[in-house]
Amino acid sequence: MILKDLKGKIIFIILIGILILVSLFSMSMGSVKISFRDIYEILGNKLFNLSLSPHIQQSTVDIIWQIRFPRVILGAVVGIGLALCGVVMQATVQNPLADPYILGISSGGTLGATFSVLVFSVYFSSSSISLSISVAAFIGALLSSIVVFKISTIGGRMTPVKLVLSGVVVNFICTAFSSLMIYMSNDNGAVRSISDWTMGSLAGATLKNITLPLISVILIGGFFLTQSRILNIMLLGDESAITLGVDLNKYRKIYLLLTAFLTGIMVAACGIIGFVGLVIPHITRSLVGTNHKINTPCAMLIGGIFLMLSDIIARSLLTSMELPIGIITSIIGAPFFMYILIKKSYSFGGA
C-alpha cells in the first residue's frame, strides 16, 4: 500500500508538469507561432503586472490573452470537470460504463440548445443567440437530471440500477423531441448550428465565459477531493456500507446533484464532448488503482491534459478549418478504451 501511495504521488507530480507543458504548447500553436518565453512574459504582465520585452508586439499580446489563454483554461477546466464527474458517477452508480451524461444530461442540454436555436433565433438578434444557447442548454441539462431523480425515487429508495434506467428513459425522450424539432424545421442554418454544438467546441472561449466553469470546478472539485472515503465505500456496495454505518442513499443524492450541476455547466460552455468522462477514470485506475484519495486528483489532471491535446489536434489537423473537438475525443478515446480493457487488468471495486 505504501508503494502504491508513493507511485500515485509520483504520477500526480508528473501529471502537473505535463499539464503545464501542454498548456504552454497549446498557447504557442496556431497560425502565429509564439515562443514559450514570450507566453511567459505576456502572462506575467497580465497576471502580475510584470514588464514586457520591447520586441513583443501588442498583436501578440492580444492573441495570447484574448484568444489562446481563455481557450486553454476552458479546455483544462472542462477536461478536469468531465473527468471528475466520470469518476464520481462510476463510483456512485457502481457501473464502470457510467459517464457524466448517463442521467440524460447531454440529451437534456441538446433539447434546450435545439429549442433555443430554432425558437429564440426568430425573436433575438444573432449577437444574443450564443448566450441563449448556453443558458437554454444548462436549463435543459439540469431539468432532465431533476426528472431522472424524481423517476428513480418512485416506488422506494433510489438505487444505482433505477438511476441508470431512468437516465436511459429520459435520454430517449429528450432525443426524440430534439429530433422532432429538427425534422420540423426549415432553417438549414439553425440545423447546422445545432449539429456543430452537439459535437463540442472550445472556439467560443473568452475571459468572461470561462469564469463560471472555472469557479464551479474549483468548488465542486475541492469538495469531492475530501470525499475519497465515501467514494471508496460506494465501490464496496450498499450492504458493506450499512455495516460501516454509512447512508449511501444520502451521499448518492448529493453527489449526483453536484455532478449534474457541474456537467450542465460544462455542456453550456462548450457543447457535448464525449468519451472524456468515460475513458479517463479507466485510464487512471489502470495507473494508480481505485483508491479515490489519489485516483480522483490524477483523473482530473489527466482529463485536462487529454482535452487540451485533443483541442491541439482539432486545430492543427486541417489547415483550412477546425474540427469539432468531440470528434477528436471519440476517435482517440474509443481505441484507447478498448486497449485499456484488453491489455490492462484491474478490478473496478478493488485496489
Side-chain angles (χ1 to χ4, degrees), residues 63-90:
I63 289 172
I64 293 296
W65 187 246
Q66 301 294 336
I67 300 174
R68 296 184 186 177
F69 179 70
R71 184 166 184 148
V72 166
I73 295 298
L74 182 62
V77 166
V78 171
I80 289 171
L82 290 177
L84 171 66
C85 291
V87 170
V88 175
M89 194 71 70
Q90 290 181 10

Side-chain angles (χ1 to χ4, degrees), residues 96-238:
L97 297 179
D99 73 348
Y101 303 133
I102 196 172
L103 298 183
I105 295 173
S106 61
S107 57
T110 302
L111 179 59
T114 302
F115 181 83
S116 173
V117 171
L118 296 181
V119 177
F120 289 178
S121 59
V122 178
Y123 302 100
F124 294 93
S125 63
S126 58
S127 60
S128 60
I129 291 176
S130 178
L131 177 61
S132 69
I133 293 175
S134 297
V135 173
F138 175 73
I139 294 174
L142 208 57
L143 287 178
S144 65
S145 303
I146 293 173
V147 172
V148 170
F149 288 129
K150 292 295 183 182
I151 295 175
S152 63
T153 55
I154 295 175
R157 289 167 57 90
M158 177 191 297
T159 64
V161 174
K162 289 172 68 177
L163 272 169
V164 173
L165 295 178
S166 300
V168 171
V169 170
V170 171
N171 178 65
F172 279 122
I173 293 174
C174 292
T175 301
F177 277 104
S178 298
S179 301
L180 177 63
M181 294 175 67
I182 294 172
Y183 181 77
M184 298 295 290
S185 173
N186 294 321
D187 189 343
N188 293 329
V191 173
R192 177 59 188 268
S193 297
I194 297 168
S195 176
D196 292 341
W197 185 87
T198 56
M199 290 186 285
S201 176
L202 302 177
T206 65
L207 291 173
K208 292 182 179 179
N209 64 18
I210 65 173
T211 303
L212 181 59
L214 178 61
I215 294 175
S216 302
V217 166
I218 291 174
L219 294 178
I220 296 177
F223 169 76
F224 278 121
L225 288 176
T226 67
Q227 301 297 301
S228 57
R229 175 177 174 271
I230 302 299
L231 290 170
N232 287 339
I233 292 175
M234 282 182 170
L235 294 181
L236 301 177
D238 288 63

Side-chain angles (χ1 to χ4, degrees), residues 325-346:
I325 192 171
I327 295 177
I328 304 300
T329 57
S330 298
I331 291 175
I332 297 176
F336 207 90
F337 186 46
M338 292 178 62
Y339 170 78
I340 290 293
L341 294 180
I342 295 172
K343 295 296 184 180
K344 299 294 181 180
S345 177
Y346 67 89

Side-chain angles (χ1 to χ4, degrees), residues 281-314:
H282 289 272
I283 295 175
T284 310
R285 280 194 290 269
S286 70
L287 290 175
V288 299
T290 57
N291 183 358
H292 286 90
K293 185 175 182 179
I294 190 65
N295 178 286
T296 302
C298 286
M300 293 166 69
L301 292 175
I302 295 175
I305 294 169
F306 176 72
L307 199 61
M308 284 194 293
L309 288 174
S310 298
D311 183 52
I312 292 173
I313 296 173

